[in-house]
Amino acid sequence: MLNQYNFLFHYKIARLTLFISFILISFSFQTQASPNCENLIGCKQKYCEINQQLTLAKKYNNINKVNELNTALQQAKANCTNTKLKAELTKKITKEKEKLAEYDADLISAESAGKKDKIHKYQNKISEKEYEIKQFEMELSKLKSQSPPNK
């Protein structure tokens, strides 16, 4: 029984380490892929990121992706406003906080039942949601601090 919990503990630690590594690698690729876009805010950043993806799709002759990104860029230019982006981010933050509250309740339930595997599962989910919420809040803060309200 003790060996089983020991194994589960090490397994969960390994999964958490992999998850953290994945996040860090994803973040490093994202920052490498968009060095010119990271200083932009709001819709301008969105256009820039789409253009960078478009450049990559063209480089690799991915015609379907090029067409998809051209459409996305046209729609973004026609419809994007920083006010809409703020509203979307606010909605995402609210949704993620609701999920976080559910995970907190699940964690409490798992702790009271003594289910160690579930405890680690919900601790990981809580960490993921907290990270996502922080990212959305930083993006929203960046948008709110911008002077011109639109495009």
Side-chain angles (χ1 to χ4, degrees):
M1 185 84 155
L2 184 59
N3 285 338
Q4 182 182 8
Y5 285 120
N6 194 17
F7 171 77
L8 284 173
F9 176 74
H10 289 290
Y11 174 74
K12 295 296 182 176
I13 294 295
R15 282 187 56 203
L16 180 60
T17 304
L18 275 172
F19 173 73
I20 292 170
S21 299
F22 173 75
I23 294 292
L24 293 174
I25 289 169
S26 297
F27 182 72
S28 69
F29 281 134
Q30 183 181 11
T31 54
Q32 287 176 358
S34 60
N36 299 332
C37 299
E38 65 187 15
N39 294 329
L40 299 174
I41 298 172
C43 294
K44 288 181 182 181
Q45 183 178 24
K46 188 172 190 171
Y47 306 150
C48 179
E49 289 170 351
I50 294 172
N51 276 319
Q52 285 188 333
Q53 291 177 23
L54 190 55
T55 301
L56 283 174
K58 287 178 182 177
K59 179 180 176 182
Y60 293 106
N61 295 319
N62 189 340
I63 303 303
N64 290 335
K65 192 69 171 176
V66 168
N67 292 336
E68 181 183 306
L69 289 167
N70 277 326
T71 302
L73 185 59
Q74 289 172 354
Q75 289 178 350
K77 286 184 176 181
N79 300 313
C80 185
T81 65
N82 289 342
T83 303
K84 285 181 183 177
L85 289 177
K86 288 176 196 175
E88 288 172 14
L89 282 169
T90 302
K91 189 176 180 179
K92 283 181 184 179
I93 290 168
T94 302
K95 183 179 173 185
E96 296 306 313
K97 284 184 176 180
E98 288 170 359
K99 287 181 185 177
L100 181 62
E102 289 175 23
Y103 292 147
D104 280 333
D106 291 338
L107 175 62
I108 291 168
S109 175
E111 286 174 336
S112 67
K115 296 182 178 180
K116 296 206 182 272
D117 57 331
K118 296 284 184 181
I119 292 170
H120 293 293
K121 173 186 171 183
Y122 291 118
Q123 286 173 337
N124 290 341
K125 287 186 177 224
I126 289 169
S127 295
E128 290 171 27
K129 285 298 165 203
E130 287 173 339
Y131 177 79
E132 289 175 21
I133 291 168
K134 250 190 184 81
Q135 294 302 309
F136 291 145
E137 288 174 339
M138 285 173 26
E139 194 174 338
L140 182 59
S141 174
K142 195 173 165 184
L143 266 174
K144 285 182 176 179
S145 69
Q146 182 185 15
S147 306
N150 287 322
K151 300 193 180 190

